[in-house]
Amino acid sequence: MLDPHGLYDVAGELPALDGPVLIQALTGFVDAGSAIQLAREHLLENLENEVVATFDLDQLLDYRSRRPPMIFVSDHFESYEDPVLALHRVKDQLGTEFLLLTGPEPDLQWERFIAAVTALIDELGVRVTVGLNAIPMAVPHTRPVSVTAHATDTALLGEHESWLQRVQVPASVGNLLEFRLGESGHNALGYAAHVPHYLAQTGYPAAAELLLDSVSSSTGLALPTGGLRDAAKLVRDEVDKQIADDEQAGRLVTSLEAQYDAFLRGRQGNLLADTDTPLPTAEELGAELERFLAEQTKDEN
Protein backbone atom coordinates (compact mmCIF):
# COMPACT_ATOMS: atom_id res chain seq x y z
CA MET A 1 0.00 0.00 0.00
CA LEU A 2 1.37 3.42 -0.98
CA ASP A 3 1.12 5.99 1.82
CA PRO A 4 -0.42 9.15 0.30
CA HIS A 5 0.75 11.15 3.34
CA GLY A 6 4.41 10.11 3.11
CA LEU A 7 4.64 9.33 6.83
CA TYR A 8 4.87 5.54 7.11
CA ASP A 9 6.35 2.47 5.47
CA VAL A 10 4.50 -0.84 5.30
CA ALA A 11 6.39 -4.04 6.10
CA GLY A 12 5.45 -6.10 3.05
CA GLU A 13 1.73 -6.20 2.36
CA LEU A 14 -0.99 -5.04 4.74
CA PRO A 15 -2.64 -8.08 6.37
CA ALA A 16 -6.24 -9.03 5.69
CA LEU A 17 -7.97 -8.72 9.05
CA ASP A 18 -11.56 -9.28 10.14
CA GLY A 19 -12.72 -5.99 11.72
CA PRO A 20 -9.83 -5.68 14.20
CA VAL A 21 -9.60 -3.49 17.26
CA LEU A 22 -6.85 -0.86 17.24
CA ILE A 23 -5.28 -0.04 20.62
CA GLN A 24 -3.50 3.30 20.59
CA ALA A 25 -0.72 3.45 23.20
CA LEU A 26 1.39 6.51 22.42
CA THR A 27 3.42 8.12 25.20
CA GLY A 28 4.62 11.67 25.53
CA PHE A 29 2.62 14.41 27.22
CA VAL A 30 1.15 12.50 30.18
CA ASP A 31 1.78 8.93 31.29
CA ALA A 32 1.32 8.94 35.07
CA GLY A 33 2.87 5.91 36.70
CA SER A 34 4.21 4.88 33.24
CA ALA A 35 0.92 3.00 32.91
CA ILE A 36 0.71 3.29 29.12
CA GLN A 37 4.30 2.18 28.69
CA LEU A 38 3.84 -0.72 31.10
CA ALA A 39 0.66 -1.85 29.35
CA ARG A 40 2.07 -1.83 25.83
CA GLU A 41 5.35 -3.48 26.85
CA HIS A 42 3.36 -6.18 28.67
CA LEU A 43 1.33 -6.90 25.54
CA LEU A 44 4.35 -7.07 23.23
CA GLU A 45 6.30 -9.25 25.66
CA ASN A 46 3.49 -11.73 26.29
CA LEU A 47 1.63 -11.96 22.98
CA GLU A 48 2.65 -13.03 19.47
CA ASN A 49 3.17 -9.92 17.35
CA GLU A 50 4.79 -8.47 14.24
CA VAL A 51 5.31 -4.96 12.86
CA VAL A 52 2.86 -3.93 10.13
CA ALA A 53 4.05 -0.37 9.51
CA THR A 54 6.57 2.12 10.88
CA PHE A 55 6.28 5.90 10.89
CA ASP A 56 9.00 8.34 9.83
CA LEU A 57 9.94 9.97 13.13
CA ASP A 58 12.36 12.35 11.41
CA GLN A 59 9.22 14.16 10.25
CA LEU A 60 7.27 13.81 13.48
CA LEU A 61 9.61 14.06 16.49
CA ASP A 62 11.38 17.06 18.01
CA TYR A 63 14.60 15.35 19.07
CA ARG A 64 15.74 18.41 21.04
CA SER A 65 12.79 18.15 23.44
CA ARG A 66 13.01 14.36 23.84
CA ARG A 67 16.58 13.31 23.20
CA PRO A 68 17.03 9.54 22.64
CA PRO A 69 19.67 7.95 24.91
CA MET A 70 23.16 6.96 23.76
CA ILE A 71 25.74 4.83 25.56
CA PHE A 72 29.29 6.16 25.84
CA VAL A 73 32.06 3.73 26.81
CA SER A 74 35.58 4.93 27.65
CA ASP A 75 36.48 6.67 24.38
CA HIS A 76 33.59 6.00 21.98
CA PHE A 77 29.83 5.89 21.59
CA GLU A 78 28.71 2.29 21.77
CA SER A 79 25.01 2.50 20.91
CA TYR A 80 22.01 4.69 20.14
CA GLU A 81 18.45 3.86 21.20
CA ASP A 82 16.55 4.59 18.02
CA PRO A 83 12.97 5.73 18.80
CA VAL A 84 10.28 3.77 16.96
CA LEU A 85 6.64 4.57 16.28
CA ALA A 86 5.05 1.45 14.82
CA LEU A 87 1.80 -0.34 14.16
CA HIS A 88 1.86 -3.97 15.32
CA ARG A 89 -0.31 -6.93 14.42
CA VAL A 90 -0.95 -8.87 17.64
CA LYS A 91 -2.80 -12.05 18.61
CA ASP A 92 -4.60 -12.14 21.96
CA GLN A 93 -4.62 -15.18 24.24
CA LEU A 94 -7.38 -16.81 22.19
CA GLY A 95 -5.80 -16.08 18.81
CA THR A 96 -7.94 -13.06 17.92
CA GLU A 97 -5.91 -10.55 15.93
CA PHE A 98 -5.82 -6.85 16.82
CA LEU A 99 -3.61 -3.86 16.10
CA LEU A 100 -1.39 -1.97 18.55
CA LEU A 101 0.05 1.48 17.83
CA THR A 102 3.09 2.16 20.01
CA GLY A 103 5.83 4.72 20.32
CA PRO A 104 6.39 8.38 21.19
CA GLU A 105 3.59 10.86 20.60
CA PRO A 106 4.47 12.99 17.55
CA ASP A 107 5.57 16.55 18.31
CA LEU A 108 4.94 17.78 14.77
CA GLN A 109 2.42 17.43 11.94
CA TRP A 110 -0.41 16.18 14.10
CA GLU A 111 -3.11 16.49 11.45
CA ARG A 112 -1.03 14.72 8.78
CA PHE A 113 -0.22 11.96 11.25
CA ILE A 114 -3.90 11.54 12.18
CA ALA A 115 -4.86 11.48 8.51
CA ALA A 116 -2.26 8.75 7.91
CA VAL A 117 -3.49 6.67 10.86
CA THR A 118 -7.09 7.10 9.69
CA ALA A 119 -6.08 5.87 6.24
CA LEU A 120 -4.60 2.74 7.83
CA ILE A 121 -7.76 2.31 9.92
CA ASP A 122 -9.88 2.39 6.77
CA GLU A 123 -7.54 0.10 4.81
CA LEU A 124 -7.40 -2.48 7.61
CA GLY A 125 -11.13 -2.33 8.40
CA VAL A 126 -10.68 -1.35 12.04
CA ARG A 127 -14.04 -1.53 13.85
CA VAL A 128 -13.08 0.52 16.91
CA THR A 129 -10.02 2.40 18.14
CA VAL A 130 -9.24 2.40 21.87
CA GLY A 131 -6.81 4.91 23.39
CA LEU A 132 -4.85 4.40 26.61
CA ASN A 133 -3.99 7.22 28.98
CA ALA A 134 -2.97 7.70 32.62
CA ILE A 135 -3.38 10.92 34.58
CA PRO A 136 -2.27 12.00 38.07
CA MET A 137 -5.25 12.45 40.40
CA ALA A 138 -5.84 13.21 44.07
CA VAL A 139 -6.64 9.60 44.90
CA PRO A 140 -5.12 7.37 47.61
CA HIS A 141 -3.18 4.25 46.63
CA THR A 142 -5.20 2.29 49.21
CA ARG A 143 -8.35 2.47 47.09
CA PRO A 144 -9.03 0.56 43.83
CA VAL A 145 -7.73 2.25 40.70
CA SER A 146 -10.45 3.94 38.67
CA VAL A 147 -10.71 5.28 35.12
CA THR A 148 -12.30 8.07 33.18
CA ALA A 149 -13.90 6.67 30.02
CA HIS A 150 -14.78 8.70 26.94
CA ALA A 151 -15.99 7.87 23.45
CA THR A 152 -17.27 9.20 20.14
CA ASP A 153 -20.58 7.47 20.91
CA THR A 154 -21.93 7.09 24.46
CA ALA A 155 -23.20 3.62 23.54
CA LEU A 156 -19.54 2.50 23.55
CA LEU A 157 -19.08 3.44 27.21
CA GLY A 158 -21.25 0.80 28.83
CA GLU A 159 -21.80 1.45 32.54
CA HIS A 160 -18.82 3.73 33.16
CA GLU A 161 -19.68 6.77 35.28
CA SER A 162 -18.25 10.20 34.55
CA TRP A 163 -15.72 11.60 37.04
CA LEU A 164 -15.61 15.04 35.46
CA GLN A 165 -18.12 17.41 33.96
CA ARG A 166 -16.79 20.24 31.76
CA VAL A 167 -13.06 20.93 31.95
CA GLN A 168 -10.41 22.35 29.61
CA VAL A 169 -7.37 20.11 29.11
CA PRO A 170 -4.25 20.32 26.94
CA ALA A 171 -4.61 18.36 23.72
CA SER A 172 -2.69 15.20 22.90
CA VAL A 173 -2.35 13.34 19.61
CA GLY A 174 -4.25 10.38 21.05
CA ASN A 175 -7.21 12.44 22.21
CA LEU A 176 -7.25 14.46 18.98
CA LEU A 177 -7.23 11.21 17.01
CA GLU A 178 -10.34 10.09 18.91
CA PHE A 179 -12.01 13.44 18.22
CA ARG A 180 -11.17 13.40 14.51
CA LEU A 181 -12.31 9.80 14.17
CA GLY A 182 -15.65 10.78 15.68
CA GLU A 183 -15.97 13.64 13.21
CA SER A 184 -15.43 11.22 10.32
CA GLY A 185 -17.94 8.64 11.61
CA HIS A 186 -15.51 6.10 13.07
CA ASN A 187 -15.97 4.40 16.44
CA ALA A 188 -13.37 5.38 19.02
CA LEU A 189 -13.08 5.43 22.80
CA GLY A 190 -10.45 5.84 25.44
CA TYR A 191 -9.59 5.11 29.05
CA ALA A 192 -7.57 7.34 31.39
CA ALA A 193 -6.44 5.55 34.54
CA HIS A 194 -6.31 7.66 37.73
CA VAL A 195 -2.87 7.36 39.32
CA PRO A 196 -2.19 8.75 42.83
CA HIS A 197 -0.30 11.93 42.02
CA TYR A 198 2.26 11.27 44.73
CA LEU A 199 3.19 8.10 42.81
CA ALA A 200 2.94 9.55 39.29
CA GLN A 201 6.71 9.55 38.78
CA THR A 202 7.16 5.86 39.59
CA GLY A 203 5.95 2.74 37.83
CA TYR A 204 2.35 1.97 38.83
CA PRO A 205 1.38 -1.40 37.29
CA ALA A 206 -2.07 -1.41 38.94
CA ALA A 207 -3.08 1.35 36.50
CA ALA A 208 -1.70 -0.57 33.53
CA GLU A 209 -3.65 -3.64 34.64
CA LEU A 210 -6.88 -1.67 34.81
CA LEU A 211 -6.30 -0.16 31.37
CA LEU A 212 -5.96 -3.59 29.80
CA ASP A 213 -8.93 -4.96 31.76
CA SER A 214 -11.01 -2.01 30.52
CA VAL A 215 -10.02 -2.71 26.92
CA SER A 216 -10.92 -6.38 27.36
CA SER A 217 -14.33 -5.50 28.82
CA SER A 218 -15.24 -3.16 25.97
CA THR A 219 -13.81 -5.12 23.04
CA GLY A 220 -13.86 -8.78 24.06
CA LEU A 221 -10.11 -9.17 23.57
CA ALA A 222 -8.40 -11.66 25.89
CA LEU A 223 -5.46 -9.65 27.17
CA PRO A 224 -2.97 -10.94 29.77
CA THR A 225 -2.71 -9.05 33.07
CA GLY A 226 -1.35 -11.60 35.55
CA GLY A 227 2.19 -10.22 35.48
CA LEU A 228 0.93 -6.69 36.01
CA ARG A 229 -1.22 -7.85 38.93
CA ASP A 230 1.79 -9.44 40.61
CA ALA A 231 3.90 -6.33 40.05
CA ALA A 232 1.11 -4.13 41.42
CA LYS A 233 1.07 -6.12 44.65
CA LEU A 234 4.82 -5.64 45.08
CA VAL A 235 4.49 -1.88 44.55
CA ARG A 236 1.56 -1.67 46.97
CA ASP A 237 3.47 -3.59 49.64
CA GLU A 238 6.52 -1.35 49.27
CA VAL A 239 4.52 1.88 49.46
CA ASP A 240 2.55 0.59 52.45
CA LYS A 241 5.81 -0.29 54.19
CA GLN A 242 7.28 3.16 53.63
CA ILE A 243 4.16 4.90 54.89
CA ALA A 244 3.79 2.60 57.90
CA ASP A 245 7.25 3.65 59.05
CA ASP A 246 6.22 7.31 59.26
CA GLU A 247 3.34 8.37 61.50
CA GLN A 248 2.79 11.69 59.71
CA ALA A 249 2.60 9.97 56.32
CA GLY A 250 0.04 7.55 57.74
CA ARG A 251 -2.13 10.44 58.90
CA LEU A 252 -1.87 12.02 55.47
CA VAL A 253 -3.03 8.85 53.74
CA THR A 254 -5.93 8.53 56.18
CA SER A 255 -6.99 12.09 55.43
CA LEU A 256 -6.71 11.56 51.70
CA GLU A 257 -8.84 8.43 52.04
CA ALA A 258 -11.49 10.44 53.89
CA GLN A 259 -11.65 13.00 51.10
CA TYR A 260 -11.81 10.30 48.45
CA ASP A 261 -14.58 8.42 50.26
CA ALA A 262 -16.50 11.67 50.75
CA PHE A 263 -16.32 12.27 47.02
CA LEU A 264 -17.72 8.81 46.30
CA ARG A 265 -20.58 9.51 48.68
CA GLY A 266 -21.44 12.58 46.66
CA ARG A 267 -20.39 15.19 49.22
CA GLN A 268 -18.04 16.78 46.69
CA GLY A 269 -18.79 18.07 43.24
CA ASN A 270 -15.26 17.49 41.99
CA LEU A 271 -12.43 15.24 43.15
CA LEU A 272 -9.93 18.08 42.93
CA ALA A 273 -12.02 20.67 44.80
CA ASP A 274 -11.64 21.75 48.42
CA THR A 275 -14.13 20.51 51.01
CA ASP A 276 -16.12 22.14 53.80
CA THR A 277 -14.41 19.91 56.36
CA PRO A 278 -11.30 20.94 58.32
CA LEU A 279 -9.25 18.35 56.43
CA PRO A 280 -6.32 19.68 54.35
CA THR A 281 -6.96 19.71 50.62
CA ALA A 282 -6.22 16.62 48.55
CA GLU A 283 -3.55 18.59 46.68
CA GLU A 284 -1.77 19.46 49.92
CA LEU A 285 -1.95 15.88 51.13
CA GLY A 286 -0.63 14.52 47.87
CA ALA A 287 2.23 17.03 47.78
CA GLU A 288 3.26 16.08 51.30
CA LEU A 289 3.13 12.36 50.50
CA GLU A 290 5.12 12.90 47.33
CA ARG A 291 7.78 14.73 49.38
CA PHE A 292 7.87 11.94 51.95
CA LEU A 293 8.25 9.15 49.37
CA ALA A 294 10.94 11.10 47.51
CA GLU A 295 12.92 11.40 50.74
CA GLN A 296 12.59 7.67 51.36
CA THR A 297 13.93 6.91 47.87
CA LYS A 298 16.82 9.34 48.42
CA ASP A 299 17.72 7.66 51.73
CA GLU A 300 17.74 4.21 50.11
CA ASN A 301 20.23 5.43 47.50
Side-chain angles (χ1 to χ4, degrees), residues 84-159:
V84 178
L85 200 171
L87 182 66
H88 304 259
R89 176 187 186 181
V90 189
K91 289 185 179 180
D92 76 357
Q93 293 176 306
L94 300 178
T96 300
E97 294 183 316
F98 66 96
L99 298 165
L100 178 64
L101 182 62
T102 70
E105 174 192 45
D107 297 304
L108 311 170
Q109 304 190 52
W110 280 15
E111 296 290 2
R112 284 188 66 210
F113 172 73
I114 288 171
V117 173
T118 303
L120 284 168
I121 286 172
D122 290 336
E123 188 71 20
L124 293 164
V126 171
R127 63 181 172 88
V128 63
T129 300
V130 186
L132 306 184
N133 202 355
I135 55 179
M137 293 280 279
V139 294
H141 74 282
T142 52
R143 297 295 184 263
V145 183
S146 55
V147 296
T148 291
H150 42 83
T152 56
D153 183 346
T154 55
L156 298 171
L157 294 177
E159 298 180 353

Side-chain angles (χ1 to χ4, degrees), residues 15-39:
L17 303 175
D18 184 17
V21 172
L22 168 61
I23 300 175
Q24 175 270 114
L26 302 177
T27 52
F29 177 61
V30 177
D31 184 16
S34 300
I36 306 171
Q37 181 178 341
L38 289 171

Side-chain angles (χ1 to χ4, degrees), residues 127-130 149-160 175 177-191 218:
R127 63 181 172 88
V128 63
T129 300
V130 186
H150 42 83
T152 56
D153 183 346
T154 55
L156 298 171
L157 294 177
E159 298 180 353
H160 283 278
N175 290 339
L177 173 62
E178 179 182 315
F179 181 70
R180 293 288 186 238
L181 288 174
E183 289 184 325
S184 59
H186 296 78
N187 286 329
L189 68 153
Y191 296 104
S218 61

